[in-house]
Amino acid sequence: MKKSARRGLVPICMVFLALSCGPASDDGVSTGPEGEMEADPGLAAAAILHPTEGNETEGIVAFEEMGSGIHVMAHVTGLSPGRYGLHVHEAGDCSSGDGTSAGAIFDPEGSGSGTPAGQLGEIEADESGMAHFMTDVHQIALAEGPRSVVGRSVVIMTAGGETVASLACGVIEPQAPGAMREGSGY
Ligand SMILES: [Cu+2]
């Protein structure tokens, strides 16, 4: 099968289809039945990840305000089985081809030896090279301010080891409030 190196825009509706189909999980993680969250929709944002040069990793990371925190959902493909870092980097610029244009990991508090805010967690790719990940974090924001990640970038990085490589990069773009909800028309 020929692989087309299409790097064009993925229709944004595909973003939410991919997310809402969710993992075929048997670990009790619910994708959220309708009626679970009836409060006003919060701010939302999403990054479409494109592979860096020499890689095939791509995917989608979505962010939505949930209560006092941010719900993060990631769907990534084209990985080798294993664990990877899901990071927000300072600059919303993936143009360099190797991820370096995205700058350093987002660290508005100057964490020093602590955990930078942009370190959202580790994703784990299965045998098919696919990773699903969800988490709730409080150290970043979607509203304007020093903790906002909108306009920055998401970078998938190899975890650990001496050399850290960026496998995919995507700029975090604002989405309509409530866009991440199932049944919201996306
Ligand atoms: Cu990083």
Side-chain angles (χ1 to χ4, degrees), residues 52-53 55 57 79 83-85 87 89 98-100 155-168:
T52 53
E53 272 166 27
N55 293 298
T57 306
L79 294 161
R83 300 175 76 84
Y84 301 86
H87 296 171
H89 281 225
D98 63 357
T100 56
V155 180
I156 305 296
M157 304 188 81
T158 53
E162 282 151 28
T163 51
V164 181
S166 300
L167 302 179

Side-chain angles (χ1 to χ4, degrees), residues 16-129:
F16 304 113
L17 276 177
L19 287 169
S20 59
C21 72
S25 89
D26 50 11
D27 57 10
V29 175
S30 164
T31 53
E34 288 178 17
E36 193 178 66
M37 295 288 300
E38 292 297 343
D40 287 342
L43 294 174
I48 297 180
L49 307 179
H50 296 288
T52 53
E53 272 166 27
N55 293 298
E56 297 177 356
T57 306
E58 53 193 357
I60 293 143
V61 180
F63 300 85
E64 185 179 12
E65 289 183 339
M66 288 276 181
S68 64
I70 304 295
H71 188 57
V72 181
M73 295 168 282
H75 174 91
V76 183
T77 61
L79 294 161
S80 300
R83 300 175 76 84
Y84 301 86
L86 175 64
H87 296 171
V88 174
H89 281 225
E90 283 175 356
D93 180 357
C94 296
S95 63
S96 67
D98 63 357
T100 56
S101 56
I105 192 164
F106 182 46
D107 187 14
E109 324 273 293
S111 64
S113 58
T115 304
Q119 201 166 307
L120 300 182
E122 276 195 352
I123 64 173
E124 183 160 16
D126 63 16
E127 288 302 314
S128 71

